Amino acid sequence: MKLLLLTTLPNQVYNRLRNLDFLDLDIIDFSQIEINKARFLTMMHDTVQKKHYSMMLTYRCPYVILREIREKVDCCVNIHPVSLPEFAGCNPWVKLKKSGKKQSEVILHLMEDIPDSGKVLCRKAYNFDNIEEGRTIADAIAAEVIYEYIMERE
């Protein structure tokens, strides 16, 4: 399986996927590049033109993936670390913290034109005492969720 991961490292999703021998894994790590939206779109167009991907996965990705890019990949999924639609968006942790809630869920969903609105493929609930603990727990669950999803498709 050829998988393109768009993420901000470090995270457990990458740690879990990089050890799967059957994956041809390419990564765009936003912690290593300074990029604006126009350059990102150009880079994405070039990336999907050069190689056909079975799956594109976004996790901790600061950009929305346009339909014209998604259409060049067989399956495009996003892992959202907190409950949807209540905490949709690129940085949901601020909203979650303000809400005062101590329970949320990791959601794996298909990508659509409206961010965080695609068909839910999997959701797993978790409890936490503070936001940092919530991030750590969500990260571990995200790795488990995508691993299970990929293994079902393999």
Side-chain angles (χ1 to χ4, degrees):
M1 177 186 294
K2 294 178 182 168
L3 189 145
L4 176 60
L5 172 62
L6 287 77
T7 193
T8 304
L9 292 178
N11 63 63
Q12 293 302 309
V13 168
Y14 171 70
N15 292 345
R16 186 71 184 260
L17 297 181
R18 72 179 178 183
N19 294 317
L20 297 178
D21 293 336
F22 63 88
L23 273 187
D24 179 1
L25 179 64
D26 291 337
I27 182 168
I28 296 175
D29 173 14
F30 295 101
S31 70
Q32 297 298 314
I33 55 176
E34 271 192 44
I35 192 167
N36 61 31
K37 186 175 181 179
R39 185 167 165 239
F40 171 73
L41 291 175
T42 300
M43 181 176 66
M44 286 305 303
H45 279 284
D46 292 347
T47 300
V48 297
Q49 291 294 345
K50 291 177 189 171
K51 189 174 189 178
H52 179 79
Y53 290 97
S54 309
M55 183 183 297
M56 178 188 303
L57 167 64
T58 58
Y59 175 61
R60 298 177 60 195
C61 176
Y63 296 102
V64 173
I65 310 302
L66 298 178
R67 178 189 294 190
E68 61 198 60
I69 294 168
R70 294 191 321 264
E71 287 176 343
K72 295 181 180 357
V73 178
D74 295 341
C75 176
C76 297
V77 294
N78 177 58
I79 301 174
H80 197 76
V82 299
S83 301
L84 290 172
E86 187 176 7
F87 303 109
C90 287
N91 189 0
W93 295 104
V94 173
K95 292 180 200 173
L96 181 60
K97 185 175 183 177
K98 286 181 183 177
S99 78
K101 292 186 176 184
K102 300 294 184 188
Q103 181 179 27
S104 197
E105 55 192 355
V106 170
I107 298 174
L108 176 69
H109 65 88
L110 295 175
M111 288 187 221
E112 295 291 341
D113 291 341
I114 299 170
D116 298 329
S117 69
K119 177 183 174 185
V120 173
L121 303 170
C122 179
R123 64 175 71 227
K124 291 203 176 185
Y126 62 95
N127 297 309
F128 58 94
D129 291 324
N130 59 62
I131 291 297
E132 283 309 309
E133 180 187 36
R135 284 178 180 258
T136 300
I137 293 169
D139 194 37
I141 293 171
E144 174 188 327
V145 163
I146 194 59
Y147 174 80
E148 290 171 2
Y149 183 71
I150 288 171
M151 296 308 288
E152 286 172 9
R153 296 176 56 91
E154 191 51 31

